[in-house]
Amino acid sequence: MSKEKQAKRVLKNKNGGYTLSKITSDEIAANIGEVKVKNPSTDLFPLELLDNTRAYLVKTAKQAILCYDYQLYDACLVMIRRLLETLIIELFERHSIKDQIQDANGNYLFCADLIDKLLSEKKRWTIGRNSVKVLPEIKSKGDLSAHNRRFNATKPDIDTIKSGLRIIVEELVHLIDYEQWNKERKIINN
């Protein structure tokens, strides 16, 4: 290949290195194909449960579902745990009692403590027995997937919590009542 042709394929950058030209990058992408991510299934839980909530919740839920769809079970459990932690925090924020789930420095508590606080709050809500039953199991499996180097989650690990997961996600979204919360936030911001 001539030096002139090679110069068009790579560009020298300011750090002294080289970068592929856009034309070359596009050719490579055409030859090897772009990575296509499919739409999340409903095999873990229906994404519609998070309609009209927050974009970051939907993104987290999509990641959890896609991890399940692509058989990335440890990642799935970690994302499930993250989704539940976020929903619990939002529930406390929604009811203007987030200080109950923060330490002295204003940091949110760890997952186990968030769950304990969620279940012990009796004035503002009651968590259903199915959710009460599955929360510790989801937390435990999420912890194993995130922190135990010898544990590798399997499909049955997640399948045993799927129905409870669907129930707790829907229950938390319902208790948060995003539609009303959004109206209240709009009034405050106007």
Side-chain angles (χ1 to χ4, degrees):
M1 183 182 306
S2 72
K3 284 214 182 237
E4 186 178 310
K5 259 197 163 185
Q6 189 177 17
K8 290 180 184 177
R9 292 191 142 319
V10 293
L11 307 170
K12 192 168 187 172
N13 63 34
K14 62 184 174 187
N15 297 330
Y18 293 90
T19 306
L20 294 176
S21 69
K22 174 139 175 46
I23 293 168
T24 303
S25 186
D26 290 345
E27 285 175 8
I28 291 170
N31 287 332
I32 63 170
E34 293 289 328
V35 174
K36 302 272 191 234
V37 176
K38 68 180 185 174
N39 289 326
S41 72
T42 57
D43 292 343
L44 184 60
F45 61 85
L47 192 57
E48 293 80 31
L49 293 176
L50 294 156
D51 283 354
N52 304 311
T53 60
R54 303 281 188 263
Y56 52 85
L57 288 171
V58 174
K59 286 180 184 178
T60 302
K62 278 183 181 178
Q63 289 178 59
I65 295 167
L66 286 170
C67 286
Y68 182 82
D69 293 345
Y70 285 107
Q71 301 174 6
L72 306 170
Y73 300 122
D74 285 307
C76 178
L77 283 167
V78 171
M79 294 310 297
I80 288 169
R81 190 180 79 171
R82 177 178 168 190
L83 176 64
L84 291 179
E85 286 173 339
T86 305
L87 285 168
I88 292 168
I89 290 168
E90 295 231 331
L91 179 59
F92 278 80
E93 287 179 349
R94 164 72 170 99
H95 289 276
S96 302
I97 54 171
K98 69 179 183 178
D99 57 306
Q100 292 183 16
I101 57 168
Q102 292 175 315
D103 65 17
N105 296 321
N107 300 311
Y108 287 107
L109 302 174
F110 291 110
C111 188
D113 297 321
L114 289 174
I115 291 170
D116 289 344
K117 295 286 188 177
L118 171 73
L119 298 177
S120 66
E121 175 58 50
K122 303 290 186 201
K123 292 179 193 171
R124 292 170 181 86
W125 59 75
T126 303
I127 302 298
R129 76 179 81 162
N130 293 323
S131 297
V132 170
K133 181 180 171 186
V134 77
L135 274 168
E137 189 176 359
I138 292 172
K139 186 250 182 244
S140 174
K141 288 181 178 179
D143 286 351
L144 287 169
S145 288
H147 305 297
N148 188 317
R149 63 189 173 131
R150 292 186 180 98
F151 176 81
N152 291 112
T154 61
K155 187 175 187 297
D157 291 322
I158 297 172
D159 288 346
T160 60
I161 61 166
K162 274 185 358 182
S163 64
L165 172 64
R166 185 222 182 283
I167 291 166
I168 187 64
V169 169
E170 186 171 18
E171 186 168 357
L172 290 172
V173 168
H174 176 75
L175 289 171
I176 294 166
D177 190 2
Y178 282 95
E179 185 178 339
Q180 183 62 33
W181 196 15
N182 290 337
K183 286 178 188 175
E184 292 168 8
R185 291 171 72 171
K186 223 177 209 180
I187 290 169
I188 291 170
N189 291 330
N190 284 336

